[in-house]
Amino acid sequence: MKQKRISSLKWEQKHIGAHIILIFWSVLVLFPLWVMIINSFKTRLTIYANPFWLPSKWNFANYALILKDGDFLNYFKNSFIAVSISLFLVLLLGALASYAFASWNTKLSKGLFFFIIAGMMLPIKIASIRLLEMIRNLGLLNSVASLIPIYVAMGIPIAVFILTEFIREIPEEMTEAGVMDGATRFVIFRHIIVPLLGPALATVGIYNLVPFWNDLWFPLLFITNDASKTLLLGVTRLFGQYQTDWSKVLAVLTLSAVPVIAMYLAMSRQFIEGLTAGAVKG
């Protein structure tokens, strides 16, 4: 027992530098969230008195006004629909394509694989004008549906990259057993591959959720109709020409962060497993 305590103490002393760096990084990441949340419970003028500490009097009127405003609830619904459908399609198409790439080992498949993951290195925003023309030709301008193909195109490269490598780590004996039992490719994918993809799918989902949910660029390009605006695009209504009610802006941003935080907390275990998959052997 004493030996275990000594070894544990040595391990902690050895990694104390890493702990200090992680604590500093955690404070650095959480500080903006702290400022956003506490200031959302202040009035417009009291924010400037002490922006970094708790309010002397908690003000819930900002949230009450936002929740009573049907426009912001509609913006939230639009964002939720666009992001949910996009994530579902990214996970579905990414898993199917990854299963094909993992099973198909030819020069052509390798070329297609590298062609797809090249999208990770090329920002899609550089083609904004061309994308605007395509969306207009498809008749999707001023609708939530205009964002879905863009988000799917943004998410497919990272999905294929992560899921393909994950599927390749699955022992071939498992799929060969399915083939010997007479299972088709789709049956093997549905009943053997998909149940094992939980951590990888969680990683892809969370990785894509943040840029999809926080995107302002493409809604700003494609949507001018008030009824189809997303949440972050709707926040721009609160910015005035001469003054801005930052307490309401921060209240909206706090509410908009809830789905991202909730999904991460719900899937954090699988997310960490997906990130560390293959890191430990034996």
Side-chain angles (χ1 to χ4, degrees), residues 81-100:
I81 291 173
V83 172
S84 299
I85 296 175
S86 300
L87 278 180
F88 174 77
L89 291 175
V90 166
L91 295 177
L92 176 63
L93 298 176
L96 289 170
S98 299
Y99 178 55

Side-chain angles (χ1 to χ4, degrees), residues 24-125:
F24 175 75
W25 180 254
S26 299
V27 172
L28 197 65
V29 170
L30 293 175
F31 182 71
L33 290 175
W34 164 263
V35 173
M36 178 180 71
I37 293 171
I38 62 171
N39 285 316
S40 68
F41 290 100
K42 298 178 183 179
T43 60
R44 181 172 63 86
L45 296 179
T46 54
I47 288 179
Y48 301 100
N50 192 355
F52 304 122
W53 198 241
L54 295 172
S56 56
K57 183 178 180 181
W58 293 85
N59 176 36
F60 295 92
N62 297 323
Y63 290 92
L65 290 172
I66 290 168
L67 294 175
K68 286 180 181 178
D69 190 340
D71 287 338
F72 282 101
L73 292 177
N74 184 56
Y75 300 155
F76 187 93
K77 180 194 72 175
N78 292 336
S79 292
F80 183 80
I81 291 173
V83 172
S84 299
I85 296 175
S86 300
L87 278 180
F88 174 77
L89 291 175
V90 166
L91 295 177
L92 176 63
L93 298 176
L96 289 170
S98 299
Y99 178 55
F101 284 125
S103 306
W104 182 25
N105 191 18
T106 64
K107 290 184 178 180
L108 178 60
S109 66
K110 291 178 182 178
L112 288 173
F113 177 76
F114 285 113
F115 176 77
I116 290 176
I117 66 173
M120 296 168 56
M121 297 175 283
L122 299 173
I124 195 171
K125 291 179 182 178

Side-chain angles (χ1 to χ4, degrees), residues 143 207 265:
S143 68
Y207 190 91
L265 292 176

Side-chain angles (χ1 to χ4, degrees), residues 158-194:
I158 187 65
V160 169
F161 177 72
I162 293 176
L163 297 177
T164 301
E165 296 305 316
F166 196 93
I167 293 173
R168 284 173 178 166
E169 294 294 324
I170 297 175
E172 293 182 2
E173 290 79 5
M174 298 182 69
T175 55
E176 288 175 357
V179 173
M180 293 177 65
D181 289 339
T184 63
R185 287 282 186 183
F186 182 78
V187 172
I188 293 173
F189 173 78
R190 172 67 181 84
H191 295 284
I192 298 178
I193 303 298
V194 171

